[in-house]
PDB file of all heavy atoms in Angstrom:
ATOM      1  N   PHE A  32      41.640  26.155  61.139  1.00 98.00           N
ATOM      2  CA  PHE A  32      40.959  27.243  61.932  1.00 98.00           C
ATOM      3  C   PHE A  32      41.918  27.706  63.051  1.00 98.00           C
ATOM      4  O   PHE A  32      42.755  26.918  63.492  1.00 98.00           O
ATOM      5  CB  PHE A  32      39.754  26.533  62.674  1.00 98.00           C
ATOM      6  CG  PHE A  32      38.648  26.258  61.710  1.00 98.00           C
ATOM      7  CD1 PHE A  32      38.555  24.875  61.138  1.00 98.00           C
ATOM      8  CD2 PHE A  32      37.686  27.123  61.328  1.00 98.00           C
ATOM      9  CE1 PHE A  32      37.545  24.648  60.247  1.00 98.00           C
ATOM     10  CE2 PHE A  32      36.684  26.789  60.447  1.00 98.00           C
ATOM     11  CZ  PHE A  32      36.587  25.521  59.945  1.00 98.00           C
ATOM     12  N   ILE A  33      41.728  28.996  63.318  1.00 98.00           N
ATOM     13  CA  ILE A  33      42.494  29.650  64.458  1.00 98.00           C
ATOM     14  C   ILE A  33      41.527  30.374  65.375  1.00 98.00           C
ATOM     15  O   ILE A  33      40.846  31.358  64.887  1.00 98.00           O
ATOM     16  CB  ILE A  33      43.494  30.653  63.911  1.00 98.00           C
ATOM     17  CG1 ILE A  33      44.472  30.068  62.811  1.00 98.00           C
ATOM     18  CG2 ILE A  33      44.323  31.320  65.076  1.00 98.00           C
ATOM     19  CD1 ILE A  33      45.313  31.189  62.115  1.00 98.00           C
ATOM     20  N   ASP A  34      41.289  29.808  66.582  1.00 98.00           N
ATOM     21  CA  ASP A  34      40.362  30.513  67.441  1.00 98.00           C
ATOM     22  C   ASP A  34      41.192  31.328  68.411  1.00 98.00           C
ATOM     23  O   ASP A  34      42.372  31.575  68.228  1.00 98.00           O
ATOM     24  CB  ASP A  34      39.408  29.531  68.131  1.00 98.00           C
ATOM     25  CG  ASP A  34      40.092  28.566  69.081  1.00 98.00           C
ATOM     26  OD1 ASP A  34      41.257  28.684  69.424  1.00 98.00           O
ATOM     27  OD2 ASP A  34      39.391  27.519  69.493  1.00 98.00           O
ATOM     28  N   ASP A  35      40.565  31.809  69.514  1.00 97.00           N
ATOM     29  CA  ASP A  35      41.200  32.675  70.484  1.00 97.00           C
ATOM     30  C   ASP A  35      42.306  31.916  71.228  1.00 97.00           C
ATOM     31  O   ASP A  35      43.147  32.654  71.851  1.00 97.00           O
ATOM     32  CB  ASP A  35      40.180  33.172  71.467  1.00 97.00           C
ATOM     33  CG  ASP A  35      39.116  34.139  70.731  1.00 97.00           C
ATOM     34  OD1 ASP A  35      39.475  34.786  69.759  1.00 97.00           O
ATOM     35  OD2 ASP A  35      38.013  34.163  71.230  1.00 97.00           O
ATOM     36  N   ALA A  36      42.333  30.634  71.203  1.00 96.00           N
ATOM     37  CA  ALA A  36      43.259  29.774  72.062  1.00 96.00           C
ATOM     38  C   ALA A  36      44.374  29.150  71.258  1.00 96.00           C
ATOM     39  O   ALA A  36      45.475  29.047  71.721  1.00 96.00           O
ATOM     40  CB  ALA A  36      42.546  28.879  72.985  1.00 96.00           C
ATOM     41  N   ARG A  37      43.932  28.589  70.093  1.00 97.00           N
ATOM     42  CA  ARG A  37      44.901  27.665  69.402  1.00 97.00           C
ATOM     43  C   ARG A  37      44.600  27.541  67.940  1.00 97.00           C
ATOM     44  O   ARG A  37      43.521  28.047  67.499  1.00 97.00           O
ATOM     45  CB  ARG A  37      44.839  26.270  70.062  1.00 97.00           C
ATOM     46  CG  ARG A  37      43.557  25.567  69.903  1.00 97.00           C
ATOM     47  CD  ARG A  37      43.494  24.334  70.764  1.00 97.00           C
ATOM     48  NE  ARG A  37      42.179  23.633  70.582  1.00 97.00           N
ATOM     49  CZ  ARG A  37      41.830  22.769  69.610  1.00 97.00           C
ATOM     50  NH1 ARG A  37      42.769  22.444  68.777  1.00 97.00           N
ATOM     51  NH2 ARG A  37      40.655  22.195  69.489  1.00 97.00           N
ATOM     52  N   GLU A  38      45.466  26.867  67.301  1.00 98.00           N
ATOM     53  CA  GLU A  38      45.320  26.526  65.850  1.00 98.00           C
ATOM     54  C   GLU A  38      44.878  25.088  65.676  1.00 98.00           C
ATOM     55  O   GLU A  38      45.209  24.271  66.600  1.00 98.00           O
ATOM     56  CB  GLU A  38      46.633  26.775  65.010  1.00 98.00           C
ATOM     57  CG  GLU A  38      47.137  28.125  64.967  1.00 98.00           C
ATOM     58  CD  GLU A  38      48.376  28.329  64.214  1.00 98.00           C
ATOM     59  OE1 GLU A  38      48.991  27.232  63.870  1.00 98.00           O
ATOM     60  OE2 GLU A  38      48.739  29.446  63.880  1.00 98.00           O
ATOM     61  N   MET A  39      44.140  24.749  64.628  1.00 98.00           N
ATOM     62  CA  MET A  39      43.746  23.372  64.391  1.00 98.00           C
ATOM     63  C   MET A  39      44.035  23.178  62.826  1.00 98.00           C
ATOM     64  O   MET A  39      43.553  23.846  62.006  1.00 98.00           O
ATOM     65  CB  MET A  39      42.270  23.126  64.721  1.00 98.00           C
ATOM     66  CG  MET A  39      41.834  21.656  64.390  1.00 98.00           C
ATOM     67  SD  MET A  39      40.142  21.302  65.140  1.00 98.00           S
ATOM     68  CE  MET A  39      39.167  22.563  64.261  1.00 98.00           C
ATOM     69  N   THR A  40      44.743  22.105  62.588  1.00 98.00           N
ATOM     70  CA  THR A  40      45.099  21.791  61.187  1.00 98.00           C
ATOM     71  C   THR A  40      43.917  20.935  60.559  1.00 98.00           C
ATOM     72  O   THR A  40      43.039  20.459  61.251  1.00 98.00           O
ATOM     73  CB  THR A  40      46.341  20.909  61.128  1.00 98.00           C
ATOM     74  OG1 THR A  40      46.153  19.626  61.702  1.00 98.00           O
ATOM     75  CG2 THR A  40      47.524  21.607  61.802  1.00 98.00           C
ATOM     76  N   PHE A  41      44.013  20.844  59.187  1.00 98.00           N
ATOM     77  CA  PHE A  41      42.927  20.037  58.612  1.00 98.00           C
ATOM     78  C   PHE A  41      43.001  18.519  59.024  1.00 98.00           C
ATOM     79  O   PHE A  41      42.042  17.905  59.064  1.00 98.00           O
ATOM     80  CB  PHE A  41      43.174  20.164  57.052  1.00 98.00           C
ATOM     81  CG  PHE A  41      42.578  21.434  56.489  1.00 98.00           C
ATOM     82  CD1 PHE A  41      43.344  22.458  56.120  1.00 98.00           C
ATOM     83  CD2 PHE A  41      41.112  21.561  56.447  1.00 98.00           C
ATOM     84  CE1 PHE A  41      42.872  23.638  55.603  1.00 98.00           C
ATOM     85  CE2 PHE A  41      40.644  22.711  55.910  1.00 98.00           C
ATOM     86  CZ  PHE A  41      41.466  23.752  55.487  1.00 98.00           C
ATOM     87  N   GLY A  42      44.246  18.034  59.224  1.00 98.00           N
ATOM     88  CA  GLY A  42      44.364  16.702  59.805  1.00 98.00           C
ATOM     89  C   GLY A  42      43.781  16.531  61.131  1.00 98.00           C
ATOM     90  O   GLY A  42      43.057  15.483  61.375  1.00 98.00           O
ATOM     91  N   GLU A  43      43.934  17.442  61.987  1.00 98.00           N
ATOM     92  CA  GLU A  43      43.367  17.344  63.406  1.00 98.00           C
ATOM     93  C   GLU A  43      41.869  17.512  63.270  1.00 98.00           C
ATOM     94  O   GLU A  43      41.078  16.815  64.028  1.00 98.00           O
ATOM     95  CB  GLU A  43      43.875  18.461  64.170  1.00 98.00           C
ATOM     96  CG  GLU A  43      45.413  18.284  64.618  1.00 98.00           C
ATOM     97  CD  GLU A  43      46.036  19.520  65.255  1.00 98.00           C
ATOM     98  OE1 GLU A  43      45.553  20.667  65.027  1.00 98.00           O
ATOM     99  OE2 GLU A  43      46.993  19.369  66.047  1.00 98.00           O
ATOM    100  N   LEU A  44      41.381  18.395  62.357  1.00 98.00           N
ATOM    101  CA  LEU A  44      39.939  18.487  62.198  1.00 98.00           C
ATOM    102  C   LEU A  44      39.346  17.203  61.722  1.00 98.00           C
ATOM    103  O   LEU A  44      38.284  16.773  62.148  1.00 98.00           O
ATOM    104  CB  LEU A  44      39.702  19.654  61.099  1.00 98.00           C
ATOM    105  CG  LEU A  44      38.221  19.910  60.783  1.00 98.00           C
ATOM    106  CD1 LEU A  44      37.427  20.351  61.945  1.00 98.00           C
ATOM    107  CD2 LEU A  44      38.149  20.868  59.629  1.00 98.00           C
ATOM    108  N   ASP A  45      39.901  16.598  60.696  1.00 98.00           N
ATOM    109  CA  ASP A  45      39.415  15.354  60.193  1.00 98.00           C
ATOM    110  C   ASP A  45      39.241  14.298  61.263  1.00 98.00           C
ATOM    111  O   ASP A  45      38.173  13.727  61.331  1.00 98.00           O
ATOM    112  CB  ASP A  45      40.429  14.792  59.090  1.00 98.00           C
ATOM    113  CG  ASP A  45      39.908  13.637  58.351  1.00 98.00           C
ATOM    114  OD1 ASP A  45      39.864  12.501  58.989  1.00 98.00           O
ATOM    115  OD2 ASP A  45      39.526  13.757  57.159  1.00 98.00           O
ATOM    116  N   SER A  46      40.225  14.118  62.100  1.00 98.00           N
ATOM    117  CA  SER A  46      40.155  13.185  63.143  1.00 98.00           C
ATOM    118  C   SER A  46      39.118  13.473  64.169  1.00 98.00           C
ATOM    119  O   SER A  46      38.273  12.612  64.602  1.00 98.00           O
ATOM    120  CB  SER A  46      41.512  13.042  63.869  1.00 98.00           C
ATOM    121  OG  SER A  46      41.446  12.127  64.930  1.00 98.00           O
ATOM    122  N   ALA A  47      39.020  14.775  64.563  1.00 98.00           N
ATOM    123  CA  ALA A  47      38.026  15.152  65.608  1.00 98.00           C
ATOM    124  C   ALA A  47      36.563  15.117  65.043  1.00 98.00           C
ATOM    125  O   ALA A  47      35.733  14.687  65.766  1.00 98.00           O
ATOM    126  CB  ALA A  47      38.359  16.656  66.013  1.00 98.00           C
ATOM    127  N   VAL A  48      36.468  15.386  63.794  1.00 98.00           N
ATOM    128  CA  VAL A  48      35.012  15.329  63.190  1.00 98.00           C
ATOM    129  C   VAL A  48      34.559  13.874  63.165  1.00 98.00           C
ATOM    130  O   VAL A  48      33.437  13.604  63.589  1.00 98.00           O
ATOM    131  CB  VAL A  48      35.000  15.892  61.844  1.00 98.00           C
ATOM    132  CG1 VAL A  48      33.776  15.487  61.083  1.00 98.00           C
ATOM    133  CG2 VAL A  48      35.144  17.484  61.854  1.00 98.00           C
ATOM    134  N   LYS A  49      35.486  13.001  62.786  1.00 98.00           N
ATOM    135  CA  LYS A  49      35.054  11.583  62.739  1.00 98.00           C
ATOM    136  C   LYS A  49      34.873  10.967  64.117  1.00 98.00           C
ATOM    137  O   LYS A  49      33.965  10.115  64.263  1.00 98.00           O
ATOM    138  CB  LYS A  49      36.103  10.779  61.873  1.00 98.00           C
ATOM    139  CG  LYS A  49      36.082  11.232  60.429  1.00 98.00           C
ATOM    140  CD  LYS A  49      37.196  10.562  59.623  1.00 98.00           C
ATOM    141  CE  LYS A  49      37.176  11.032  58.153  1.00 98.00           C
ATOM    142  NZ  LYS A  49      38.277  10.491  57.376  1.00 98.00           N
ATOM    143  N   LYS A  50      35.605  11.428  65.127  1.00 98.00           N
ATOM    144  CA  LYS A  50      35.467  10.990  66.457  1.00 98.00           C
ATOM    145  C   LYS A  50      34.143  11.578  67.051  1.00 98.00           C
ATOM    146  O   LYS A  50      33.379  10.871  67.754  1.00 98.00           O
ATOM    147  CB  LYS A  50      36.587  11.448  67.327  1.00 98.00           C
ATOM    148  CG  LYS A  50      37.941  10.591  67.150  1.00 98.00           C
ATOM    149  CD  LYS A  50      38.981  11.016  68.126  1.00 98.00           C
ATOM    150  CE  LYS A  50      40.240  10.260  67.993  1.00 98.00           C
ATOM    151  NZ  LYS A  50      41.217  10.549  69.003  1.00 98.00           N
ATOM    152  N   MET A  51      33.800  12.795  66.667  1.00 98.00           N
ATOM    153  CA  MET A  51      32.581  13.370  67.124  1.00 98.00           C
ATOM    154  C   MET A  51      31.304  12.566  66.511  1.00 98.00           C
ATOM    155  O   MET A  51      30.399  12.260  67.285  1.00 98.00           O
ATOM    156  CB  MET A  51      32.354  14.834  66.679  1.00 98.00           C
ATOM    157  CG  MET A  51      31.105  15.517  66.981  1.00 98.00           C
ATOM    158  SD  MET A  51      30.653  15.611  68.642  1.00 98.00           S
ATOM    159  CE  MET A  51      31.708  16.868  69.282  1.00 98.00           C
ATOM    160  N   ALA A  52      31.459  12.183  65.316  1.00 98.00           N
ATOM    161  CA  ALA A  52      30.406  11.334  64.726  1.00 98.00           C
ATOM    162  C   ALA A  52      30.230  10.086  65.404  1.00 98.00           C
ATOM    163  O   ALA A  52      29.027   9.633  65.817  1.00 98.00           O
ATOM    164  CB  ALA A  52      30.769  11.099  63.168  1.00 98.00           C
ATOM    165  N   SER A  53      31.310   9.409  65.752  1.00 98.00           N
ATOM    166  CA  SER A  53      31.223   8.153  66.508  1.00 98.00           C
ATOM    167  C   SER A  53      30.664   8.290  67.840  1.00 98.00           C
ATOM    168  O   SER A  53      29.849   7.518  68.379  1.00 98.00           O
ATOM    169  CB  SER A  53      32.727   7.592  66.680  1.00 98.00           C
ATOM    170  OG  SER A  53      33.177   7.157  65.441  1.00 98.00           O
ATOM    171  N   ALA A  54      31.087   9.479  68.585  1.00 98.00           N
ATOM    172  CA  ALA A  54      30.626   9.732  69.941  1.00 98.00           C
ATOM    173  C   ALA A  54      29.123  10.025  69.959  1.00 98.00           C
ATOM    174  O   ALA A  54      28.422   9.475  70.859  1.00 98.00           O
ATOM    175  CB  ALA A  54      31.431  10.870  70.553  1.00 98.00           C
ATOM    176  N   LEU A  55      28.583  10.718  69.003  1.00 98.00           N
ATOM    177  CA  LEU A  55      27.176  10.983  68.956  1.00 98.00           C
ATOM    178  C   LEU A  55      26.407   9.749  68.753  1.00 98.00           C
ATOM    179  O   LEU A  55      25.417   9.522  69.497  1.00 98.00           O
ATOM    180  CB  LEU A  55      26.880  12.004  67.802  1.00 98.00           C
ATOM    181  CG  LEU A  55      27.278  13.444  68.069  1.00 98.00           C
ATOM    182  CD1 LEU A  55      27.184  14.247  66.764  1.00 98.00           C
ATOM    183  CD2 LEU A  55      26.511  14.115  69.134  1.00 98.00           C
TER     184      LEU A  55
END
Side-chain angles (χ1 to χ4, degrees):
F32 292 95
I33 306 171
D34 68 10
D35 296 330
R37 63 187 180 90
E38 297 179 348
M39 180 170 61
T40 66
F41 280 106
E43 292 169 334
L44 176 66
D45 185 287
S46 176
V48 165
K49 292 174 180 176
K50 286 184 176 183
M51 174 61 73
S53 294
L55 289 170

